[in-house]
Amino acid sequence: MTNRNNNHVFAKILAFLIIIGFIYVTNSNPNTKVPDRPPTSDQKKAMQKEKDEKAGIVRDAQDIPARVYENTLPSDKFANFLRSNRKIIYYAYLGDCTDDNVFLDDLERLMNSHSELKSLYYYYPDPQERTSTVYCNKTGTVDCIQNYLFQNCANNMCIINPYKKQILKISNKNFRQAFDRIYKYKNW
């Protein structure tokens, strides 16, 4: 009889350990879906990122101010950027800088190997001299598109999305990273 009670106690302990083990494994794995467990902050970020990508939202993008649209005349340089039927990749660089030219050549080679980008983007490399003049055609203003691009894209490459009236700054230090962002946001 003692042997039988010992087996019964052993079975209860084993069942208890299995349940504790299951709970531990379930709770220690953050990818385990448990209906009553709230998502972790990393899971919330991942869900928000996925939701943003589906909705075409780019968190790094900035709205182009309404004053830029109001103060840009059709005769202003780059005025067509605001009303284009494609996104524009704008890259202002020093024409006599070897590093900028190498970056430009490498980026163009990558972009040319992905022909679908040509139907989504206009690519506008803009060689600059050491001293450049920015000029708005509307009298008494400095808030036209050329000055806005100068202020925001002088040290960056930018993507202008005319449909969303937004601009996205991309680093111009690494051509591969720049291309990856251009490709990633092709449907933005």
Side-chain angles (χ1 to χ4, degrees):
M1 185 118 172
T2 321
N3 199 14
R4 201 170 197 194
N5 282 341
N6 287 342
N7 286 342
H8 189 62
V9 170
F10 178 71
K12 284 183 179 180
I13 292 173
L14 184 61
F16 179 72
L17 290 174
I18 290 172
I19 290 170
I20 295 296
F22 175 76
I23 291 171
Y24 174 77
V25 168
T26 302
N27 285 326
S28 66
N29 184 351
N31 295 325
T32 303
K33 304 243 187 239
V34 179
D36 60 342
R37 183 192 315 160
T40 64
S41 63
D42 289 340
Q43 289 172 328
K44 286 179 184 177
K45 288 177 186 174
M47 289 187 298
Q48 185 63 47
K49 186 176 179 182
E50 186 177 321
K51 196 183 291 185
D52 288 349
E53 285 178 3
K54 285 182 181 177
I57 297 171
V58 177
R59 294 254 175 227
D60 299 341
Q62 299 172 343
D63 291 334
I64 298 172
R67 70 181 185 280
V68 171
Y69 285 87
E70 293 164 5
N71 293 319
T72 300
L73 298 177
S75 58
D76 279 323
K77 187 174 183 180
F78 309 127
N80 58 332
F81 285 13
L82 299 175
R83 293 164 193 82
S84 175
N85 61 353
R86 296 184 201 163
K87 292 181 288 295
I88 292 102
I89 300 167
Y90 176 75
Y91 180 45
Y93 65 99
L94 291 173
D96 62 353
C97 178
T98 306
D99 291 342
D100 288 348
N101 285 300
V102 168
F103 173 88
L104 183 68
D105 291 342
D106 292 339
L107 182 67
E108 285 179 352
R109 192 174 335 102
L110 263 177
M111 288 181 60
N112 288 334
S113 68
H114 291 79
S115 60
E116 73 272 17
L117 295 178
K118 290 180 182 178
S119 64
L120 301 170
Y121 290 106
Y122 285 120
Y123 181 54
Y124 196 92
D126 187 19
Q128 304 285 313
E129 295 177 9
R130 295 272 175 204
T131 57
S132 296
T133 304
V134 177
Y135 179 75
C136 297
N137 287 330
K138 187 172 184 180
T139 307
T141 187
V142 293
D143 288 331
C144 65
I145 187 64
Q146 184 182 7
N147 194 35
Y148 182 77
L149 291 174
F150 179 76
Q151 291 173 356
N152 288 280
C153 305
N155 296 318
N156 299 292
M157 176 178 284
C158 291
I159 299 175
I160 296 107
N161 187 330
Y163 293 117
K164 294 188 182 244
K165 297 183 176 183
Q166 292 182 326
I167 190 168
L168 177 66
K169 298 175 190 175
I170 298 174
S171 173
N172 62 350
K173 304 298 181 220
N174 181 309
F175 75 94
R176 186 65 203 185
Q177 288 175 350
F179 174 79
D180 288 346
R181 293 206 61 200
I182 289 167
Y183 195 81
K184 177 180 181 181
Y185 296 125
K186 67 181 181 176
N187 295 322
W188 161 54

